[in-house]
Amino acid sequence: MLPALRPPPSAASAVPYTYCSPPRAVPARPKYRAPLEADEPQKEPARWANLMYDRRVVRGNTYARQAVPTCIHHPNAFEIQRRREARRKALARKRAEEQIQLRTPEPVEGREHVHVQTELYLEEISDRIIEVDVECQTDAFLDRPPTPFFVPAKTGRDVATQIEEGELFDFDIEVKPILEVLVGKTIEQALLEVMEEEELAKLLAHQRAYAELRNAELAEVQRLEEQDRRYREEKERCKQQQMEMLQKEKETMEKIAAQAFAKRYLTDLIPSVFNNLHESGFFYDPIERDIETEFLPWLMTEVEETLEKKTLGRVMLDSLIRTVTEKRLDVFSQKPLPDQVEAPAEEHRPTDNAPQVAAETEAADQAVTADEETDQPAAEDQASHHITFQSEEANQEAMEDSETD
Amino acid sequence: MASTLISAKLPPDVDPTKAPIAFGRRALPKLSREIQSPELLTQQRALMALCDLVHDPENVYQAVQIGFLENLKTLLLHHDSTVRQKTTEILYIMAMHNVGRQGLIQNAVIPVLTELLDDPEDICRKNTHQVLDMMAKLPEGAVDILHAGLIPLLVVRLKTESDEIQELILGTLSNCLRMEASEALATDAITILKEKLTHPSATIRNKAAQVILEIGTHPEGKSTVCEEVIPLLVSLLEDTDPEVQASAAGALMFATIKPKGRCLALRAEAIPRLLKLVAVENSKARLSAIKTLTMLAEVAEGRRKLLERTDIFQQCLRDPSEAVKRAAEIAIRVIRWKPF
């Protein structure tokens, strides 16, 4: 950076002295440049280094430049950079020279032309102090050189050995177990996977077979149960039917027995009933009944009447006889006769047998008339009885009556 | 501070989605800790690593021992779908092994799985159903599922889910209903199963027929099956897929135990088709067909028809399968039985 022109000294009196670049303490230069990845230059706390120990400050006398020892054949980077700059300038100069067409002769074999600037070695003596503006530019930062590989110092003895083939191990034998393990594990894994599925499939098949059998057996069991139930029901029903049948048989037998007994009991029923009825008079001959109910009572009443008549007659006769007898007694009291006693006795007797005596006495009288009326002998007897105590007229009247009757 | 990564390029066989696994016995405890970490990425990576580890049964055993299942239970209800999906996958792989199944039962994982039945993610639901399917194959697991009241939920989902999941549900149902059928009957499962019997996919028809078979083993199920499904089953006896035929014959086997079922089956002309099935290669189909014919031979009408065809049963007496031979003997005996 070229310095700016110095301000005119006229202005210096009013303005205090200013530096072009104010003096400042020079901060220590870091040995290495900032790392690449840094976004901005790190603001390190400025370390003020001692000027005396700053590398940028040239030590010693400035009037005699120190010979910088250069080794052309092993240049370091510093030198390389300087060389590069020098080469650039040289090229520029060369071009300028070429333009001027000034050529120096080519170097002799074995030698080379080296541009040497004698400026370094020249010194101009003058009062005027040579002022040279020197700009100092820090060198470009270099990469941190890689850590040198640390090789510890060798200790011990070097001993060499060589392993021949076949000494250490026999690969084929040794690799076997490893291979076995590897292959075995792989196959095991594969087998596991396959077996898992196969196991499942087998289990399922087994289960299905078992289920088949089980179902078949269960069905058989249930069928037999059903059959058994049916048979049992059938048996029950049969038993029931049988019992009913027995019951019915018993009843029938009883019925038959009862029937036989009843029949036998009642065989006589009808005859006996009829007999009873007959005897109690339910069945009657109507003529007979008629005769019995009407004729005979009438007959009996007639007979009674007749008999009453006869009795009356006899009673009348008795009373007549009595009166007669009493009269005769009265009469005979004066003259008691045994004939009269016999006479009433005889008369009594005939009065008792009046109907018969009368019948006998009057038999001759009535023989003719009696024969004519045979159906009423009793009535005629009575009539004749009536006739006896009455007068003969009366008798005749009675006879006429009886005849008319 | 130096990191363990020496180079920026990872080794070629390392999966960056998985957590690095510690050596030997420490692998699972470390993963267990990582799973409980609050950071989502760690959890996911740990789950992916675990998913690979549980294919080994020893690891399953160790996982159950150190109480992994508690953590997994908590993770089942995580808000992130990947976590849930991986957790269900892990549970499925664990359930494939008996130790895992026992562990799942002891830690009562099934009630928690109930929550996942409605998961919005298809994969989660599919894995859940796979777990349930595996668990149902174990009797205690089936009992567990019954106690958790899952049957009505599963029956409802039969209508809505996709085909794959339907197959899984049908498998689960068939194993669970072997224990007890009342819940399924209460939710009217038979109607839904009737639809499935006519589904285009053969697997679904097969499994639906199996579910009906299991329902028919119970007395109350038999009456329901008798009333509604027998004609369909008889028509399925002529299905194109042999498995479906076998399952239909099995279901008929149980449905014809009751006299009412027998009459219905006879009326639906089951005998000729069953006789055809007796000559088929599938031993299950043969066995079921012979058994069903035995049932039908209990009825006089069936006996009459079958007396003419006893030659087929004579052939079966020389069958390679022991069970078929026995069944053929019983069938001949029943056919020749006379009431007097």
Side-chain angles (χ1 to χ4, degrees):
Chain A
M1 193 178 86
L2 292 174
L5 285 169
R6 247 189 268 138
S10 57
S13 56
V15 179
Y17 184 77
T18 56
Y19 293 99
C20 172
S21 55
R24 57 192 166 85
V26 177
R29 171 183 173 238
K31 278 191 184 170
Y32 305 108
R33 64 176 174 198
L36 283 164
E37 301 88 66
D39 299 316
E40 53 179 11
Q42 283 172 331
K43 301 280 184 191
E44 280 186 51
R47 283 177 283 124
W48 311 113
N50 197 342
L51 206 58
M52 298 305 291
Y53 295 107
D54 200 332
R55 284 177 54 193
R56 295 172 284 190
V57 175
V58 176
R59 312 255 182 289
N61 46 354
T62 53
Y63 53 87
R65 224 350 162 27
Q66 283 192 2
V68 180
T70 56
C71 181
I72 298 174
H73 297 291
H74 300 286
N76 58 4
F78 193 84
E79 284 304 314
I80 292 173
Q81 194 180 358
R82 296 197 73 179
R83 287 264 175 99
R84 247 187 260 136
E85 285 177 6
R87 244 181 255 132
R88 259 184 251 127
K89 285 183 197 158
L91 271 170
R93 228 171 271 136
K94 220 181 187 179
R95 278 192 215 104
E97 279 174 10
E98 276 176 1
Q99 286 174 5
I100 302 173
Q101 304 260 333
L102 262 176
R103 289 199 191 267
T104 52
E106 296 299 318
V108 179
E109 251 183 66
R111 297 194 190 174
E112 70 180 80
H113 283 286
V114 174
H115 280 278
V116 172
Q117 186 62 271
T118 54
E119 200 180 33
L120 294 171
Y121 308 105
L122 286 179
E123 201 175 320
E124 196 181 289
I125 304 171
S126 66
D127 294 330
R128 197 161 149 262
I129 303 169
I130 303 168
E131 291 169 1
V132 178
D133 284 325
V134 175
E135 294 294 325
C136 190
Q137 172 70 36
T138 56
D139 294 327
F141 280 123
L142 301 168
D143 278 328
R144 177 175 190 269
T147 318
F149 197 61
F150 175 62
V151 178
K154 200 171 82 163
T155 53
R157 285 186 310 145
D158 279 337
V159 177
T161 176
Q162 175 67 29
I163 298 175
E164 306 295 331
E165 193 166 312
E167 273 185 21
L168 257 191
F169 57 82
D170 185 5
F171 180 73
D172 288 330
I173 300 177
E174 299 293 329
V175 85
K176 257 204 190 142
I178 302 177
L179 256 188
E180 276 175 16
V181 166
L182 275 177
V183 172
K185 280 279 173 198
T186 318
I187 293 191
E188 197 182 309
Q189 181 67 23
L191 266 179
L192 262 180
E193 289 177 12
V194 167
M195 269 184 22
E196 195 175 350
E197 293 181 11
E198 207 178 288
E199 192 182 346
L200 265 185
K202 268 228 172 82
L203 273 175
L204 275 177
H206 198 71
Q207 247 185 357
R208 288 226 337 246
Y210 169 71
E212 247 178 70
L213 268 178
R214 182 186 162 277
N215 283 341
E217 290 298 322
L218 192 63
E220 184 62 25
V221 161
Q222 287 184 347
R223 181 188 72 87
L224 286 173
E225 259 179 26
E226 179 72 25
Q227 206 184 43
D228 186 54
R229 184 187 69 90
R230 268 208 340 267
Y231 286 173
R232 241 181 308 123
E233 272 184 19
E234 199 57 43
K235 222 170 30 175
E236 283 299 319
R237 240 182 302 138
C238 268
K239 260 203 315 212
Q240 204 65 17
Q241 267 178 0
Q242 200 69 9
M243 289 210 357
E244 276 176 27
M245 230 170 62
L246 277 175
Q247 191 74 10
K248 267 204 180 133
E249 251 187 51
K250 212 166 73 161
E251 266 184 38
T252 319
M253 259 175 44
E254 281 182 5
K255 271 191 190 166
I256 291 177
Q259 196 206 26
F261 174 71
K263 213 171 190 178
R264 202 177 60 78
Y265 184 68
L266 296 174
T267 36
D268 304 335
L269 181 70
I270 292 177
S272 66
V273 160
F274 277 126
N275 272 347
N276 288 344
L277 282 179
H278 204 66
E279 282 170 20
S280 42
F282 281 96
F283 304 111
Y284 53 88
D285 196 10
I287 297 175
E288 205 179 324
R289 190 177 179 87
D290 204 26
I291 291 178
E292 280 181 11
T293 46
E294 282 173 27
F295 176 67
L296 283 179
W298 172 81
L299 191 63
M300 296 306 286
T301 32
E302 293 299 314
V303 166
E304 260 183 51
E305 274 180 26
T306 317
L307 282 178
E308 269 180 28
K309 277 185 189 165
K310 282 205 173 152
T311 323
L312 188 59
R314 290 212 179 107
V315 165
M316 292 298 289
L317 186 61
D318 280 344
S319 65
L320 274 176
I321 292 175
R322 202 184 168 89
T323 38
V324 167
T325 321
E326 278 176 2
K327 277 178 187 175
R328 284 195 180 176
L329 195 59
D330 288 338
V331 172
F332 286 131
S333 322
Q334 289 106 21
K335 47 175 149 163
L337 281 167
D339 291 48
Q340 287 174 346
V341 176
E342 288 176 18
E346 288 176 344
E347 287 174 2
H348 280 297
R349 257 183 273 121
T351 53
D352 291 326
N353 308 329
Q356 294 168 359
V357 171
E360 289 173 359
T361 51
E362 308 260 334
D365 297 334
Q366 297 177 353
V368 181
T369 52
D371 290 332
E372 293 176 4
E373 300 173 355
T374 47
D375 54 345
Q376 296 181 354
E380 286 182 351
D381 285 344
Q382 287 183 358
S384 64
H385 183 67
H386 287 300
I387 292 167
T388 47
F389 74 84
Q390 287 181 351
S391 64
E392 291 180 2
E393 295 176 333
N395 288 339
Q396 285 178 354
E397 289 176 4
M399 280 180 68
E400 287 172 2
D401 288 341
S402 67
E403 284 175 11
T404 52
D405 285 348
Chain B
M1 183 60 187
S3 81
T4 47
L5 282 181
I6 298 172
S7 152
K9 281 200 306 193
L10 283 170
D13 55 351
V14 162
D15 188 0
T17 56
K18 286 196 227 169
I21 303 176
F23 184 77
R25 260 189 9 207
R26 290 295 310 159
L28 283 174
K30 176 164 178 284
L31 285 176
S32 162
R33 257 203 337 268
E34 281 185 13
I35 274 186
Q36 291 165 350
S37 96
E39 206 187 281
L40 182 64
L41 185 64
T42 324
Q43 279 178 328
Q44 285 175 343
R45 297 179 75 200
L47 281 173
M48 303 266 316
L50 187 60
C51 202
D52 282 338
L53 280 179
V54 286
H55 281 273
D56 189 1
E58 296 185 11
N59 286 334
V60 173
Y61 175 72
Q62 196 188 359
V64 171
Q65 288 285 310
I66 64 178
F68 229 114
L69 287 166
E70 289 298 323
N71 300 335
L72 290 177
K73 263 203 311 197
T74 337
L75 281 180
L76 272 175
L77 303 168
H78 204 264
H79 56 85
D80 181 43
S81 70
T82 319
V83 168
R84 283 201 305 265
Q85 171 197 336
K86 278 290 158 194
T87 314
T88 44
E89 201 175 319
I90 290 170
L91 283 176
Y92 169 52
I93 301 176
M94 283 178 91
M96 285 207 259
H97 201 269
N98 192 36
V99 177
R101 283 198 286 263
Q102 299 286 345
L104 284 179
I105 294 179
Q106 277 160 7
N107 283 286
V109 173
I110 294 183
V112 184
L113 281 176
T114 321
E115 316 277 331
L116 276 176
L117 282 176
D118 283 323
D119 199 278
E121 281 280 322
D122 274 342
I123 291 272
C124 289
R125 269 179 295 149
K126 179 165 171 228
N127 287 340
T128 313
H129 283 291
Q130 273 173 334
V131 175
L132 287 175
D133 189 22
M134 272 290 153
M135 292 305 300
K137 294 203 202 306
L138 203 62
E140 294 103 14
V143 167
D144 231 7
I145 294 182
L146 277 170
H147 281 318
L150 276 174
I151 308 281
L153 300 172
L154 287 174
V155 170
V156 163
R157 269 160 192 71
L158 257 186
K159 289 188 264 198
T160 51
E161 292 277 8
S162 72
D163 280 355
E164 285 181 337
I165 301 189
Q166 271 181 21
E167 288 174 22
L168 293 166
I169 295 181
L170 285 171
T172 319
L173 276 179
S174 86
N175 283 320
C176 290
L177 290 179
R178 199 175 289 156
M179 303 282 150
E180 200 193 316
S182 55
E183 287 187 35
L185 289 170
T187 55
D188 197 26
I190 300 265
T191 329
I192 304 179
L193 286 168
K194 257 176 32 177
E195 286 170 35
K196 300 297 166 205
L197 278 178
T198 49
H199 201 273
S201 152
T203 333
I204 291 196
R205 283 203 299 264
N206 184 15
K207 294 207 175 202
Q210 274 171 0
V211 177
I212 293 186
L213 191 159
E214 301 294 344
I215 292 185
T217 46
H218 301 273
E220 62 268 9
K222 278 204 249 288
S223 32
T224 331
V225 169
C226 283
E227 285 159 24
E228 302 183 25
V229 192
I230 288 192
L232 259 177
L233 285 173
V234 172
S235 66
L236 271 183
L237 283 174
E238 290 181 319
D239 197 86
T240 43
D241 189 55
E243 287 290 320
V244 178
Q245 286 172 347
S247 306
L252 268 179
M253 181 167 73
F254 280 99
T256 46
I257 288 183
K258 281 219 162 138
K260 192 163 136 201
R262 279 184 216 152
C263 297
L264 279 173
L266 277 172
R267 241 179 282 151
E269 302 290 329
I271 294 194
R273 303 176 199 194
L274 285 169
L275 284 170
K276 261 190 281 181
L277 262 188
V278 173
V280 143
E281 284 161 9
N282 187 352
S283 76
K284 178 175 164 196
R286 270 181 303 187
L287 191 58
S288 310
I290 294 183
K291 281 265 175 260
T292 318
L293 284 170
T294 317
M295 308 287 171
L296 288 176
E298 299 262 339
V299 185
E301 207 180 284
R303 252 204 303 274
R304 217 178 324 125
K305 285 198 199 158
L306 285 171
L307 262 175
E308 308 152 11
R309 311 297 304 270
T310 44
D311 54 323
I312 297 191
F313 293 100
Q314 298 286 354
Q315 257 180 354
C316 287
L317 279 176
R318 289 188 299 276
D319 199 275
S321 157
E322 181 66 39
V324 174
K325 265 196 271 195
R326 255 200 325 246
E329 284 171 29
I330 297 178
I332 293 181
R333 205 172 50 223
V334 170
I335 292 179
R336 296 213 177 119
W337 180 79
K338 290 200 190 306
F340 45 86

